[in-house]
Amino acid sequence: MERELKDRIEILQGDITKMEVDAIVNAANSSLLGGGGVDGAIHRAAGPELLAETRKIGGCPTGEARVTKGYRLPAKWVIHTVGPIWSGGNRNEDDLLASCYRNSFKAAIEIGAVTVAFPSISTGAYRFPLERAVNIALRETRSFLPTNQSIKKVIFVCFGTEVHKRYQRLFKEVFT
Ligand code: ADP
C-alpha cells in the first residue's frame, strides 16, 4: 500500500508551465487576473485567452479553487487556487493552505485529470514558511491519495534547488 502511494508522487525541479500533464495548479491571487511568480508565468505561457476566461469567473476566495482551460500550455487544464498570505500563523493560514490542496484535488477529479502538477503554493510572494508549507502539501496528498484511484500521478514541481531539496527531505519523513 505504502509503496503504491509513493509511486503516485514525483518531485521534480523545473518550470510548471512546461509540464505535459492533464492539469497544473496555479498559485493565483483572489482576483484571478494574474500576478507575479508562477501565476505570471502561467498567464504568459497560456496566452491572453486564459485571462479572458478568468475575468469571466470573477475571482476566487482564499482556500478555494477554480478551473480553466490551459490554452497554449501543454497542460489541458489549469486549476487556480488561492493560497493564504502568511501573517504570523494565527489567521488560519495552515487550514487555508490545506484547503487549497484538498479543493485542487477535488477539482482535478471533477475534470477527470489523471496527472496533476503543483507548485509550492503560498511560499513565494505570500511568504508562508517553506518547511511548514511543504509539510502541509505532502500530508494533504498523503491523506488524499488512498481515497481516490483516478489520479495516478501527483507531481510537485519545485522552482529552484532549495525548494526541491526541502520536498525531497520531507517526502522521506511523510511517506516512511
Ligand atoms: P504565492 O503568491 O502563492 O506565494 P509565488 O508564485 O510567489 O506564489 O510562489 C509560489 C512558488 O512558485 C514559489 O516556490 C516560486 O518559486 C514558485 N514558482 C515561480 N515560478 C514558477 C514556475 N514557473 N514553475 C514552478 N514554480 C514556480
Side-chain angles (χ1 to χ4, degrees):
M1 184 60 173
E2 199 68 25
R3 168 89 260 140
E4 192 204 318
L5 284 184
K6 280 188 190 175
D7 290 346
R8 291 167 72 193
I9 296 176
E10 265 180 53
I11 295 167
L12 302 180
Q13 193 182 327
D15 177 351
I16 202 165
T17 65
K18 307 279 193 274
M19 294 299 295
E20 298 190 7
V21 289
D22 296 322
I24 62 171
V25 176
N26 181 18
N29 59 54
S30 58
S31 74
L32 297 187
L33 298 179
V38 70
D39 195 8
I42 288 172
H43 275 270
R44 278 193 298 280
E49 297 95 333
L50 177 59
L51 183 59
E53 188 177 353
T54 56
R55 258 191 221 293
K56 283 189 201 147
I57 297 172
C60 175
T62 304
E64 294 189 18
R66 300 288 184 269
V67 175
T68 67
K69 289 189 270 185
Y71 299 99
R72 300 175 202 179
L73 290 163
K76 186 166 183 215
W77 304 101
V78 181
I79 300 168
H80 305 262
T81 189
V82 181
I85 298 171
W86 180 259
S87 47
N90 295 318
R91 298 211 170 169
N92 214 22
E93 293 98 322
D94 290 338
D95 289 344
L96 288 166
L97 186 60
S99 292
C100 287
Y101 286 93
R102 282 200 291 273
N103 285 321
S104 296
F105 283 129
K106 198 170 149 205
I109 294 170
E110 281 166 12
I111 56 181
V114 174
T115 50
V116 185
F118 283 90
S120 182
I121 300 163
S122 281
T123 65
Y126 284 1
R127 300 182 316 274
F128 205 108
L130 185 62
E131 175 103 357
R132 191 159 168 155
V134 176
N135 247 309
I136 291 169
L138 293 173
R139 286 179 198 285
E140 284 305 317
T141 305
R142 173 80 180 77
S143 40
F144 164 73
L145 284 178
T147 71
N148 162 277
Q149 286 305 319
S150 63
I151 298 174
K152 303 290 183 213
K153 215 43 130 188
V154 175
I155 305 163
F156 293 101
V157 183
C158 306
F159 202 64
T161 51
E162 190 201 349
V163 177
H164 188 231
K165 280 188 188 149
R166 196 73 62 125
Y167 267 87
Q168 284 181 315
R169 181 165 61 68
L170 290 174
F171 177 75
K172 288 187 197 132
E173 279 180 35
V174 174
F175 291 82
T176 43

